[in-house]
Amino acid sequence: MAWLPGCFLCRFLLGWVGLSAPGLAVEVKVPFEPLSAPVGKTAELTCSYSTSVGDNFALEWSFVQPGKPVSTSQPILYFTNGQLYPTGSKAKRASLLQNPPTGGVATLKLTDVRPSDAGTYLCHVNNPPDFYTNGLGLINLTVLVPPSRPSCSQSGQTSVGGSAALKCSSSMGAPKPVYNWIRLGASPTPSPGSMVQDEVSGQLILTNLSLASSGTYRCVATNQMGSASCELTLSVTDPSKGRVAGTVIGVLLGVLFLSVAVFCLIRFQKEKRKRPKETFGGSDLREDAVAPGVSEQPLESADSSNGLLERPSSASTVTTKSKLPMVV
């Protein structure tokens, strides 16, 4: 039967079905405990086997992403017919610790480990007619990543007597970091009864806030690979002081407005007193004006004989008499 890349399980199952009587067992040994490796380093996934190696011996390493079934495994490399064939996205970083792996050691070496390398690795050993066992070993790999710089935020009513929630979270970190909040500066840390801290979620809840609760708070995210932190400033306000300040400002504005009004009124009165009496221009006409060149005569003369008032006439104008009864 020719070797088909990526069909190791198919060949394995066909050999199992075609087996009429059990032969020698293929025993594969892998570590029971999960394996961990720091990001950027080299990981060695130990796999050993026992069988009578022959011409049909084949080895395959494959990878399953976290949370996915084994049936979705992706090949990393395989060894058959005396040749090693790396394949897949990890081909340039994957190799065997011992090549050829015919001495019972099938350990996989993976260089420059990345966060995406975390998952389950399958070591398959196939050596027909040794099909008495499944010849399969599983290794869980955890890639250790230091926490990324967390993001700090706050919510709630930051006024005296209110409650506030400070939140902290890192987007990266393996194993998952724990979070611890501390208060910076010389100000005292809030009493334990007024704060509740969750190291897993990274949330700090402050209750019964006072002006003394104001200050700078730091969140530190930590795992076995390192730590990172972020800070935020909490400002607690007193609504009663705000109302007093608003009242004072309103009163001051009212006094200012009244002062301006009084000033304008006083100035208006002064301007009115300084204004000159009404004068007439050359083009203004008056009913009692005398034409130029004519002397002004007495407006009225008394007629003693008849008790009437007589208006004298000008030399250049027509004289009209108006006799009015004289009231005694």
Side-chain angles (χ1 to χ4, degrees):
M1 181 183 296
W3 172 258
L4 299 177
C7 294
F8 181 85
L9 290 178
C10 300
R11 182 183 178 193
F12 174 81
L13 292 175
L14 288 174
W16 179 269
V17 173
L19 181 65
S20 58
L24 297 176
V26 177
E27 184 179 3
V28 175
K29 294 181 180 180
V30 293
F32 179 76
E33 296 294 331
L35 177 66
S36 60
V39 63
K41 302 298 182 179
T42 298
E44 292 187 0
L45 287 75
T46 303
C47 179
S48 60
Y49 66 91
S50 59
T51 185
S52 56
V53 178
D55 295 335
N56 295 326
F57 173 82
L59 167 68
E60 180 184 14
W61 276 97
S62 58
F63 170 72
V64 181
Q65 294 180 349
K68 298 293 184 65
V70 176
S71 59
T72 62
S73 63
Q74 303 170 354
I76 299 175
L77 60 77
Y78 57 90
F79 178 88
T80 185
N81 297 327
Q83 297 293 326
L84 181 65
Y85 301 94
T87 184
S89 60
K90 307 180 193 300
K92 294 183 179 181
R93 299 184 293 119
S95 62
L96 291 176
L97 185 63
Q98 180 178 325
N99 188 23
T102 55
V105 177
T107 299
L108 174 69
K109 184 168 66 174
L110 188 64
T111 61
D112 188 21
V113 172
R114 304 168 184 175
S116 59
D117 293 332
T120 302
Y121 289 78
L122 285 67
C123 177
H124 308 263
V125 175
N126 187 15
N127 188 28
D130 293 353
F131 287 112
Y132 189 68
T133 59
N134 60 9
L136 177 64
L138 280 69
I139 302 176
N140 291 319
L141 174 64
T142 299
V143 179
L144 304 178
V145 182
S148 60
R149 187 177 186 275
S151 174
C152 287
S153 62
Q154 71 177 52
S155 61
Q157 184 179 2
T158 56
S159 58
V160 173
S163 299
L166 310 185
K167 298 180 181 179
C168 173
S169 178
S170 295
S171 59
M172 296 183 62
K176 189 175 180 179
V178 295
Y179 303 94
N180 183 39
W181 283 92
I182 57 176
R183 184 175 180 179
L184 303 181
S187 301
T189 302
S191 60
S194 62
M195 70 176 189
V196 178
Q197 182 170 193
D198 189 338
E199 294 183 347
V200 177
S201 66
Q203 182 171 260
L204 174 66
I205 298 178
L206 299 173
T207 59
N208 193 23
L209 293 174
S210 65
L211 295 178
S213 303
S214 300
T216 301
Y217 292 78
R218 173 183 292 170
C219 173
V220 181
T222 307
N223 66 6
Q224 66 189 77
M225 292 299 295
S227 62
S229 63
C230 63
E231 298 176 3
L232 63 78
T233 299
L234 178 67
S235 299
V236 180
T237 59
D238 190 345
S240 61
K241 291 186 177 180
R243 288 192 294 267
V244 172
T247 303
V248 171
I249 293 175
V251 171
L252 291 177
L253 289 176
V255 171
L256 177 62
F257 177 78
L258 183 59
S259 300
V260 171
V262 171
F263 172 79
C264 292
L265 180 60
I266 294 175
R267 185 171 181 179
F268 175 76
Q269 293 294 338
K270 288 183 178 180
E271 291 292 334
K272 187 176 180 181
R273 292 171 184 169
K274 291 181 180 180
R275 188 180 303 169
K277 294 183 179 180
E278 184 178 1
T279 58
F280 297 93
S283 59
D284 295 335
L285 296 179
R286 294 177 53 183
E287 295 181 358
D288 58 347
V290 180
V294 179
S295 61
E296 185 177 357
Q297 299 294 332
L299 295 178
E300 295 177 348
S301 60
D303 189 346
S304 60
S305 60
N306 52 19
L308 299 177
L309 296 178
E310 181 179 353
R311 183 185 302 271
S313 61
S314 172
S316 60
T317 60
V318 179
T319 303
T320 59
K321 285 187 178 181
S322 176
K323 294 184 178 180
L324 300 175
M326 187 172 183
V327 179
V328 181

